[in-house]
Amino acid sequence: MRDALALFIKQAFIKLGYEDYLNLTVSQKSDYQINSVFEISKRFSKKPNEVGEELISAIKDLNGYDNYIKDIEFALPGFINITVSDKLINSFINDYINNGFIKKTNKNEVYFLDYGGPNIAKPLHIGHLRPAIIGESVKRILDAKGFKTVSDVHLGDYGLQIGEVIYGIKRDKLSIDDITIEYLNKIYPEISALCKENEEVHSECQKIVLDLQNGNAEYNIYFEKIKEVSMQDIKRIYEYLGVSFDLWLGESDSKPYIPKLIDRLKEEKLLREDDGALVVDIKEENDNKEMPPVIVVNSKGASMYATTDIATILEREEKYKPNKILYFTDNRQSLHFEGVFRICKKLGVNAELIHNTFGTINDKDGKPFKTRSGEALKLDELIEMTKDAFLSKREENKDMPKEDLDKQINAIIKYADLQNNREKSYNFDINKFSEVSGKTGPYILYSAIRIKKILENNSITKKGVSTKIYNDIDRNLRMEVLNINNAIDRSIEDYLPSIIADYLYDLCNEVNSFYQNVNVTNVTDEEEKNDYLNVLKLAYDIIVKCLELLVIEVPSKM
């Protein structure tokens, strides 16, 4: 609606010679506000009130003024407030009802999303929650807008942990069939701790990784079994969380591209030797921070984390030709990705490479979320803790069907996370986020189920609304419904699902205000009742869609 209103108003700006100065924004004091009066008055040496008055006069003279605007006024010190007409509101409500409420993009762009990033042979812990659900949410938002997307879990399967686990398997003389998820969960932390104490063991684990990378057949058999067992467990948890990927590739899958990468780096004269390692200098003249060289091959001949990331980018560009490649990892990897991206730029990679960082999840006291033994809390443990907290809220919760219970738990965890700007850390208070009131997942679900019951108990007799709006509460709900595309577009600008979560909360507040003040079932006027039901149906559909964008499903009841 803002775009349509801006296009209409621009006619007046063009007539007055101000066509480059239209700035129309959503307003807290009215529906929209023109904020460019000061800029125009300064540029054309006029008083703000003079500019305001001539703009208002020119807008009121436009043909079709009443179809767009109900009221327009100048407000000191220099703003123009606009209240849109009921006719304009209802024309968009009907458009959303009949033609769909998400306006698709006309840009033919391909987004490649890299999120998840779990290491095989290690259980998923609380640190894996944010990349998975933030990345999944952004992918769904881009899909909804009409962009083409490709997603990859990008498993960590070529690092030291593989060498540590294979070392443990050989030490324990395990057969392939004895490698289970229980064994992996036990052996990795054991050998990892041993490596920190025993340099000889650490060196042996490094050698195993190098031999694996160089094609050792025995180690590759162990590697494939470890990967198979780990993947089953990783997929189990991701499936519970509703997270999926188009590709289930890992660092090891970039192996065929590593020789090509080394050759290209040599051709561009970017490689140099440093203490037996091959590195690329990335520091630039205008850097005001330390930017160490990126190690591509270490002194023992092994490929590094940066090596596989760069090779993977070359592979993705060759196969998928993405316009943008989005990464979702925590803030601590910023330096790593800056180095990787700089090398890719030197190599002529065309895709825009974007690192979307996020903060950590802390407990309710702001401390790192860990177990009593000091280890990172496993995702399975977080899910069980949340389930226990929810079940303790009400006795009836214990009788909830498993499918509905799982949807509730997902809503608690995901809405608690996604309502926060991803760049910031936040405190996860299980009891607070399990409440049915406040800015929580259960509150959003409860709001959706409320409307669903109204719609089940009343029938829409005619699709679409009339030209009327019946009261301020009705109008507020309609205006909030029409903000959906603004929320989606803003969330895509900086890849922030939190904007959708905020919009969803605001919409549910308007829905509940309507519910408390308007008893639809008792409305006797057929046209009025039908209008209400159409608006509520549209609001419900938008709530369900926004929840889907946040990777949340609505249960059958609460």
Side-chain angles (χ1 to χ4, degrees), residues 423-436:
E423 296 174 343
K424 298 178 180 178
S425 299
Y426 74 96
N427 300 344
F428 187 86
D429 186 332
I430 294 178
N431 286 318
K432 174 184 173 184
F433 291 133
S434 300
E435 295 286 354
V436 187

Side-chain angles (χ1 to χ4, degrees), residues 70 84-90 93 465-479 482 528 531-532 535:
K70 183 176 183 178
V84 298
S85 69
D86 292 356
K87 186 172 183 179
L88 184 65
I89 293 171
N90 288 328
I93 291 289
V465 296
S466 68
T467 58
K468 300 175 185 175
I469 293 178
Y470 300 93
N471 48 62
D472 287 343
I473 291 167
D474 178 24
R475 189 181 194 278
N476 291 342
L477 177 56
R478 297 187 195 211
M479 287 296 292
L482 296 179
E528 181 180 357
D531 284 352
Y532 286 153
V535 173

Side-chain angles (χ1 to χ4, degrees), residues 202-229:
H202 183 258
S203 296
E204 179 60 27
C205 292
Q206 287 182 315
K207 184 177 183 304
I208 290 172
V209 174
L210 178 59
D211 289 345
L212 174 66
Q213 292 180 1
N214 288 332
N216 183 291
E218 179 191 8
Y219 293 163
N220 192 64
I221 292 172
Y222 289 134
F223 168 75
E224 291 297 338
K225 182 63 176 181
I226 293 167
K227 190 170 182 178
E228 176 193 335
V229 172

Side-chain angles (χ1 to χ4, degrees), residues 124-138:
L124 292 179
H125 57 72
I126 194 165
H128 292 111
L129 178 66
R130 301 206 79 187
I133 61 174
I134 292 172
E136 176 71 23
S137 180
V138 171

Side-chain angles (χ1 to χ4, degrees), residues 435-446:
E435 295 286 354
V436 187
S437 59
K439 198 173 183 181
T440 68
Y443 170 74
I444 305 296
L445 296 182
Y446 185 64

Side-chain angles (χ1 to χ4, degrees), residues 181-243:
I181 191 64
E182 291 76 20
Y183 177 78
L184 295 180
N185 289 345
K186 176 184 78 73
I187 198 64
Y188 166 70
E190 179 186 332
I191 305 301
S192 179
L194 185 60
C195 281
K196 293 172 184 175
E197 301 169 1
N198 189 318
E199 183 55 40
E200 187 177 333
V201 173
H202 183 258
S203 296
E204 179 60 27
C205 292
Q206 287 182 315
K207 184 177 183 304
I208 290 172
V209 174
L210 178 59
D211 289 345
L212 174 66
Q213 292 180 1
N214 288 332
N216 183 291
E218 179 191 8
Y219 293 163
N220 192 64
I221 292 172
Y222 289 134
F223 168 75
E224 291 297 338
K225 182 63 176 181
I226 293 167
K227 190 170 182 178
E228 176 193 335
V229 172
S230 285
M231 287 276 281
Q232 289 174 356
D233 196 54
I234 289 168
K235 287 184 175 182
R236 172 185 64 82
I237 297 176
Y238 280 152
E239 184 177 351
Y240 182 86
L241 293 172
V243 174

